[in-house]
Amino acid sequence: MKNKVSIIGAGMTGSTTAHWLAERELADLVLVDIVEGMPQGKSLDLRQAMPVIGSDVAITGTNDYEATAGSDIVVITAGLPRKPGMSRDDLLTANADIVRKAAEETVKRSPDAIFVVLTNPLDVMTYLTMKVTKLPPERVVGQAGILDSARMRAFVAMELKVSVENIQCYVLGGHGDEMVPLTRHSNVAGTPLRECLAPDRLEAIVNRTRKGGGEIVSLLKTGSAYYAPAIAITQMVKAILMDKHLIVPASAYLRGEYGLKDLFFGVPVQLGRSGVEKIIEYKLDESEQSALQKSADAVRQTQDALLHLVKI
Ligand SMILES: NC(=O)c1ccc[n+]([C@@H]2O[C@H](COP(=O)([O-])OP(=O)(O)OC[C@H]3O[C@@H](n4cnc5c(N)ncnc54)[C@H](O)[C@@H]3O)[C@@H](O)[C@H]2O)c1
């Protein structure tokens, strides 16, 4: 039996995720969007690319949720992206209804699926998905940390002129400007990052990482980043389908870990076939823990705003 992945929202991130997944021959794919013809056209185009790369996956585009039935993974990317000057939290009102509908429609057709959420504001939309689907927290996870960490890795590689493969960086916290790049845990082929970069260069990289999404939004003028977010989702989908027990930063439901409760937040998680198998707790020093707390306060504020907005 082939795996089946449904992607809700066939816009820039949704269709690019389909592209990366199809290229890796990981699963049959269903793309759902409200715009008529668009998911059908994009999936037909993608399907016609498969003979060239020899990938035997079925790709279906539709406006009808019926085609998603029996999915192993549901990826939610439906919703508005930021415009220049907007914060991710500014998307809350518009995206809450979209994500709620996507979660309701998919969970009844795929009650055994694992849900991977991308829509912003990310941590709160992942929380909404868990509430609406009523799934156990292990089966709902948000994508943010792989992307934020990859941005930091790319900036370090550009600065040091070292292969990206040698650079490990870990960005935790909420997917907003208060995210927490952990410089003490990051390294270049085993050498701590703090020994490879002058303090001012490291600080510049940390700041650029925090604003990495906004930098792209202001360059693009319409829409936000999609190549890197989509490959980040692809890594999570692969880790789940292939039961890799892969440790990556992602938004997971906390029940006391890092001193935080009842919110989705970016922490290192172990991903496998059952979803979030484990949350890893780093030993943090005082300043790291207080930066995480500040980031959690920002997520909690948006979560409270959500709870005023929708009944869940
Ligand atoms: N978590 C992250 O790291 C991250 C990274 C990039 C983008 N995002 C977020 O992901 C979301 C999507 O970004 P994008 O660049 O793909 O935007 P996009 O505008 O290109 O695509 C969004 C798609 O959602 C569709 N849509 C809207 N309402 C729908 C509904 N009710 N049902 C089904 N489809 C619906 C739209 O028609 C559109 O095609 C945004 O909220 C963006 O902020 C998050």
Side-chain angles (χ1 to χ4, degrees):
M1 269 277 281
K2 272 209 203 145
N3 291 309
K4 178 170 176 177
V5 175
S6 290
I7 302 171
I8 316 307
M12 298 312 289
T13 57
S15 57
T16 311
T17 302
H19 177 180
W20 292 115
L21 287 171
E23 196 260 334
R24 283 160 175 70
E25 211 169 6
L26 281 170
D28 286 341
L29 304 172
V30 177
L31 274 167
V32 182
D33 203 286
I34 41 162
V35 178
E36 281 178 28
M38 186 267 271
Q40 291 86 343
K42 284 191 177 182
S43 49
L44 191 57
D45 185 10
L46 202 47
R47 206 159 190 176
Q48 290 164 1
M50 295 304 105
V52 181
I53 58 169
S55 175
D56 285 304
V57 291
I59 308 161
T60 308
T62 176
N63 309 112
D64 183 351
Y65 278 95
E66 271 323 301
T68 66
S71 295
D72 296 283
I73 298 184
V74 172
V75 176
I76 300 183
T77 75
L80 306 187
R82 282 193 281 173
K83 294 198 176 90
M86 278 175 104
S87 82
R88 294 175 178 93
D89 289 348
D90 293 335
L91 299 168
L92 178 70
T93 312
N95 286 349
D97 278 346
I98 296 173
V99 169
R100 174 206 271 270
K101 170 115 187 344
E104 278 169 359
E105 294 295 331
T106 44
V107 74
K108 61 185 176 204
R109 295 172 172 92
S110 302
D112 299 323
I114 290 164
F115 281 65
V116 180
V117 180
L118 188 82
T119 307
N120 275 318
L122 185 271
D123 303 283
V124 173
M125 290 299 107
T126 313
Y127 180 81
L128 176 63
T129 300
M130 182 191 77
K131 288 288 179 186
V132 169
T133 57
K134 299 186 172 59
L135 289 175
E138 298 73 28
R139 300 241 315 268
V140 183
V141 62
Q143 188 306 116
I146 298 176
L147 169 66
D148 297 328
S149 304
R151 283 183 172 145
M152 186 168 169
R153 293 170 68 190
F155 296 145
V156 172
M158 284 151 68
E159 178 84 14
L160 293 178
K161 303 196 173 31
V162 171
S163 167
V164 289
E165 288 186 70
N166 289 132
I167 297 163
Q168 293 304 323
C169 292
Y170 300 94
V171 179
L172 304 190
H175 188 50
D177 293 348
E178 306 291 347
M179 67 179 74
V180 185
L182 287 181
T183 56
R184 199 166 56 92
H185 297 73
S186 303
N187 67 79
V188 180
T191 305
L193 199 51
R194 289 171 177 191
E195 291 175 24
C196 302
L197 285 161
D200 62 323
R201 294 312 305 150
L202 185 53
E203 199 190 326
I205 286 174
V206 163
N207 286 334
R208 194 172 178 195
T209 300
R210 286 208 176 104
K211 297 182 183 129
E215 183 179 357
I216 292 176
V217 169
S218 54
L219 287 167
L220 292 178
K221 314 274 188 311
T222 55
S224 55
Y226 50 97
Y227 291 118
I231 197 67
I233 302 178
T234 302
Q235 187 179 38
M236 293 172 79
V237 168
K238 181 176 175 186
I240 294 166
L241 292 178
M242 300 187 74
D243 199 23
K244 281 178 77 75
H245 316 297
L246 182 75
I247 298 172
V248 286
S251 187
Y253 186 68
L254 300 187
R255 286 172 279 198
E257 297 89 349
Y258 294 93
L260 301 167
K261 263 192 199 145
D262 192 35
L263 84 166
F264 273 82
F265 197 60
V267 291
V269 302
Q270 184 175 302
L271 292 180
R273 196 62 189 83
S274 58
V276 176
E277 298 176 326
K278 209 189 272 180
I279 290 174
I280 286 98
E281 285 199 72
Y282 288 165
K283 286 196 178 75
L284 299 181
D285 64 23
E286 223 172 276
S287 73
E288 292 159 347
Q289 186 61 43
S290 95
L292 268 196
Q293 186 60 54
K294 195 170 163 206
S295 176
D297 292 345
V299 173
R300 179 88 63 195
Q301 220 179 351
T302 313
Q303 187 172 301
D304 289 345
L306 172 83
L307 294 171
H308 274 101
L309 203 65
V310 293
K311 249 183 140 212
I312 39 176

